[in-house]
Amino acid sequence: MNDLAIYFITSLCAVYITLIVVFLFGLLRRSRQVNGRCLSVSVIVPARNEATNIDACLRALAAQTYPDDHLEIIVVDDRSSDDTAARIDKWTRRLPNLSRVSVTHQNYICPKKNALWQGIKHARGDIIFTTDADCRPGPNWITSNLAHFAPDVGMVIGHAPLLQNEKVLSGLLSLQALIVSTLAAGSAGIGFPLTCSGRNMAYRRKAFDEVKGFNDIGHIIGGDDVLLMRQFAQKSAWKIRFNADADAFVPSASHPDNLINRQVRYQSKTIHYGIPTLILAFAVYIFHVVLATLPIFFWTDAELFYLVGSCLGIKIIADAVFLLFGSIQFKSLKLLLWFPVLEILIIPYIVIICALGTLSPFKWK
């Protein structure tokens, strides 16, 4: 193996480890809380065929400790064919600050962006909160997130864990959610937010209007959360903060159905992140391609085996440290039991699913 190949592989490994270290530094930085005035809040919940989930979601929102006279809840019925609308209407008779909006036309190709926009159009709040119909926000969700809205903060994102059962797939999906939140907290902590979850985010209506809402990303399927966050980061001076407080966690059920399609959909947004992020993502992707393929095609090269094996060992240690800090931050140490399975699957997952996310079509739910 020539010196150029050695330099190339070790450079990719160095980039990966550097990113882990930088994100760990960001993870350890806590967002500063402020004692702000009582802001008006609009919670937007898009719902499509969520009759089995909407009651629990609205029960959780009804239990919020935030003053009712500063809070409105808007559930957007996105052309449901089940009893979702009827269940929402039943709740409107119990909660004066709850209303239902029905989607009647399509402003954007992405159904969820369209539903969110229909709700935001009717919203009167200074701060927009979004979550999904299968989520269960804790009672202090709104209060906790508002404490992070300093005058220069336009968006607050948070942890969205998945409820876990004893099944392997559920454990892996829960660990994936932990990885997303750890990466979100770490990248936001260094002022370069990379990801977030629409199940747990809040932003100023003023900032949303400044970046023209979903207008520039409405043609992209998916990305109602991450791509909107990237709009805030790239097109405005507003800061983005991660709220790691346990009171702000928003758990939801995992969805093992249509698993491949969902995973491809999640990864399809990467190509729209912007040049700096794409360069980093490409370096990480090539690093995993190298780990997956070089030993297969050059299995007779002992030096290469040693180098790739060393890089793989370093990567596993770095991943373990990264997730250890994340699991401590988000009180999810039990999820580390799935770490060995994750490390077996993560390289083929990145190599195959990320490629499909860029090249392959997928269906919305």
Side-chain angles (χ1 to χ4, degrees):
M1 184 171 58
N2 59 44
D3 292 341
L4 182 60
I6 294 174
Y7 177 78
F8 178 69
I9 296 172
T10 53
S11 296
L12 289 175
C13 185
V15 169
Y16 186 84
I17 301 305
T18 300
L19 288 174
I20 293 290
V21 172
V22 170
F23 292 146
L24 276 175
F25 174 76
L27 180 66
L28 297 176
R29 297 184 65 186
R30 299 300 296 266
S31 173
R32 178 174 57 89
Q33 295 191 27
V34 295
N35 294 318
R37 58 191 176 88
C38 199
L39 299 168
S40 58
V41 169
S42 298
V43 179
I44 312 296
V45 184
R48 184 174 187 178
N49 294 332
E50 296 284 1
T52 58
N53 294 311
I54 195 64
D55 287 327
C57 178
L58 291 177
R59 191 175 299 113
L61 292 175
Q64 292 297 306
T65 57
Y66 201 66
D68 287 344
D69 58 342
H70 284 74
L71 170 64
E72 66 173 353
I73 303 168
I74 300 174
V75 183
V76 184
D77 176 27
D78 188 8
R79 295 161 291 189
S80 298
S81 57
D82 61 5
D83 294 332
T84 298
R87 290 180 178 273
I88 298 169
D89 290 342
K90 182 179 178 181
W91 276 92
T92 60
R93 294 189 285 271
R94 297 170 55 183
L95 299 177
N97 59 340
L98 169 66
S99 61
R100 173 171 66 89
V101 171
S102 296
V103 172
T104 56
H105 59 282
Q106 193 85 8
N107 289 80
Y108 302 110
I109 293 176
C110 174
K112 190 174 180 182
K113 290 194 193 86
N114 187 66
L116 285 169
W117 171 234
Q118 299 298 326
I120 292 172
K121 282 197 304 183
H122 290 81
R124 299 187 300 270
D126 297 318
I127 307 292
I128 304 295
F129 277 70
T130 67
T131 192
D132 289 347
D134 61 348
C135 293
R136 314 288 182 265
N140 295 314
W141 175 51
I142 294 174
T143 304
S144 177
N145 277 329
L146 285 180
H148 292 264
F149 272 98
D152 59 347
V153 173
M155 178 180 285
V156 175
I157 55 180
H159 182 37
L162 296 180
L163 299 174
Q164 183 188 359
N165 56 40
E166 68 281 359
K167 295 182 179 179
V168 173
L169 187 55
S170 174
L172 290 174
L173 290 174
S174 297
L175 186 56
Q176 182 186 43
L178 174 65
I179 294 171
V180 170
S181 290
T182 306
L183 180 58
S187 58
I190 61 171
F192 191 70
L194 290 177
T195 189
C196 64
S197 172
R199 302 193 300 272
N200 186 3
M201 65 189 304
Y203 41 85
R204 294 184 188 273
R205 173 63 185 270
K206 178 181 178 181
F208 178 83
D209 292 338
E210 280 184 20
V211 300
K212 300 180 181 179
F214 299 121
N215 283 356
D216 294 336
I217 56 175
H219 64 287
I220 303 169
I221 300 292
D224 55 277
D225 43 17
V226 176
L227 296 185
L228 179 63
M229 182 190 70
R230 298 299 299 162
Q231 294 281 100
F232 275 54
Q234 295 171 354
K235 297 184 177 181
S236 77
W238 294 103
K239 294 181 179 179
I240 299 169
R241 294 288 182 257
F242 190 98
N243 179 10
D245 297 338
D247 283 344
F249 294 178
V250 178
S252 68
S254 60
H255 295 282
D257 57 307
N258 299 318
L259 180 63
I260 299 299
N261 184 71
R262 287 178 182 273
Q263 296 299 320
V264 170
R265 190 182 83 206
Y266 296 157
Q267 302 305 325
S268 68
K269 298 170 283 190
T270 307
I271 60 173
H272 304 287
Y273 280 11
I275 299 299
T277 305
L278 280 177
I279 292 173
L280 294 176
F282 185 71
V284 171
Y285 180 77
I286 294 300
F287 178 54
H288 285 81
V289 170
V290 166
L291 294 178
T293 60
L294 284 192
I296 297 174
F297 292 105
F298 299 95
W299 59 273
T300 58
D301 191 325
E303 186 179 7
L304 184 144
F305 258 85
Y306 176 78
L307 177 60
V308 173
S310 299
C311 289
L312 180 60
I314 293 171
K315 174 192 178 301
I316 292 173
I317 293 172
D319 290 347
V321 172
F322 184 65
L323 283 180
L324 175 62
F325 277 88
S327 63
I328 293 172
Q329 178 86 279
F330 300 115
K331 300 176 174 56
S332 303
L333 279 170
K334 288 184 178 180
L335 288 179
L336 292 183
L337 293 173
W338 300 106
F339 178 75
V341 182
L342 171 76
E343 285 300 304
I344 293 172
L345 298 176
I346 191 66
I347 292 178
Y349 173 89
I350 289 176
V351 172
I352 297 171
I353 298 298
C354 290
L356 290 175
T358 304
L359 304 173
S360 176
F362 57 87
K363 294 181 180 180
W364 194 259
K365 77 169 189 175

